[in-house]
Amino acid sequence: MLRAFGPLCVAILAVCVERKYTPCKEAAWLCVIACGVGMTVYKEASRDDHSFFGAVLVLASIFMQSGILSLSAILMGKVGVKLDGLQMAFYSGPSGCLVLLPFALAAGEGATLRHALRTEPAVTTTFLLGSSVLAVAYNAVVFQSSHTLSSVGTSVLANVKIVILFVLSALTLGEMASWRVREYVGCVLTFGGSAVYSYIKVKAKEEAAARKKAQEDLEAEAATLKARAVGAEN
């Protein structure tokens, strides 16, 4: 449920990292989308000694992912050497592997991998290669989306993806019969809020393009009048 508020975290970090401010109207609909996703996926969890620590780890991962989206938007659009999504995935993949490798070894995953390679080498190799290809493809799409849509737009798209997968799994497993009003309201808020947010963004781009064209027309007209005045003086 905490991941539902990812777009808000991205919008906050975008102010610090990208120097991009989210208008109040868009921020309000981001809150609607976050609440909708939270209502849809919320499940009562058992309370134990590790629940607080798990929540802290989830929050940390949300802020780190938000920072990656903002930084990738800068690297892919505002620096001298512009990178595409595949290049970003190529450069970020090895560093991510090096960061996660010590934790995997400390958790004993190395022994599990060695056992799997000894007992079922073909299945294990196929699984590793297939998951690696999917990870590269997913990262490339995410990075490219942060450049095409913006970091906040990519985070909104990720939230919509979560709800779509949740609905599809419920349809496939026949779990929608046990849905309550909360889940349906959450879906409406998520999809409706995303549609309105997208409309606001498109409308803002159209208005910005119209203002730019009007400014260019005024500058062209001023240049023409100046040229005529110079010609009349000569």
Side-chain angles (χ1 to χ4, degrees), residues 22-46:
T22 302
C24 295
K25 188 183 294 186
E26 295 179 13
W29 284 105
L30 288 179
C31 293
V32 172
I33 296 170
C35 292
V37 177
M39 292 174 64
T40 304
V41 304
Y42 175 76
K43 296 290 182 183
E44 300 235 352
S46 59

Side-chain angles (χ1 to χ4, degrees), residues 62-82:
I62 292 173
F63 275 100
M64 285 189 287
Q65 186 179 30
S66 303
I68 290 173
L69 288 175
S70 295
L71 288 174
S72 64
I74 292 177
L75 291 174
M76 297 177 66
K78 294 185 179 180
V79 297
V81 181
K82 295 184 179 181

Side-chain angles (χ1 to χ4, degrees), residues 44-112:
E44 300 235 352
S46 59
R47 298 181 178 272
D48 52 30
D49 295 336
H50 302 288
S51 59
F52 178 76
F53 181 65
V56 172
L57 289 179
V58 171
L59 286 174
S61 68
I62 292 173
F63 275 100
M64 285 189 287
Q65 186 179 30
S66 303
I68 290 173
L69 288 175
S70 295
L71 288 174
S72 64
I74 292 177
L75 291 174
M76 297 177 66
K78 294 185 179 180
V79 297
V81 181
K82 295 184 179 181
L83 304 175
D84 57 27
L86 190 59
Q87 290 174 320
M88 288 290 298
F90 176 79
Y91 290 123
S92 62
S95 59
C97 179
L98 291 176
V99 171
L100 295 175
L101 185 60
F103 295 96
L105 294 176
E109 298 296 334
T112 304

Side-chain angles (χ1 to χ4, degrees), residues 207-222:
E207 292 175 354
R211 288 194 298 268
K212 183 178 179 181
K213 187 177 183 304
Q215 183 65 27
E216 291 175 350
D217 292 341
L218 288 175
E219 292 176 356
E221 185 177 356

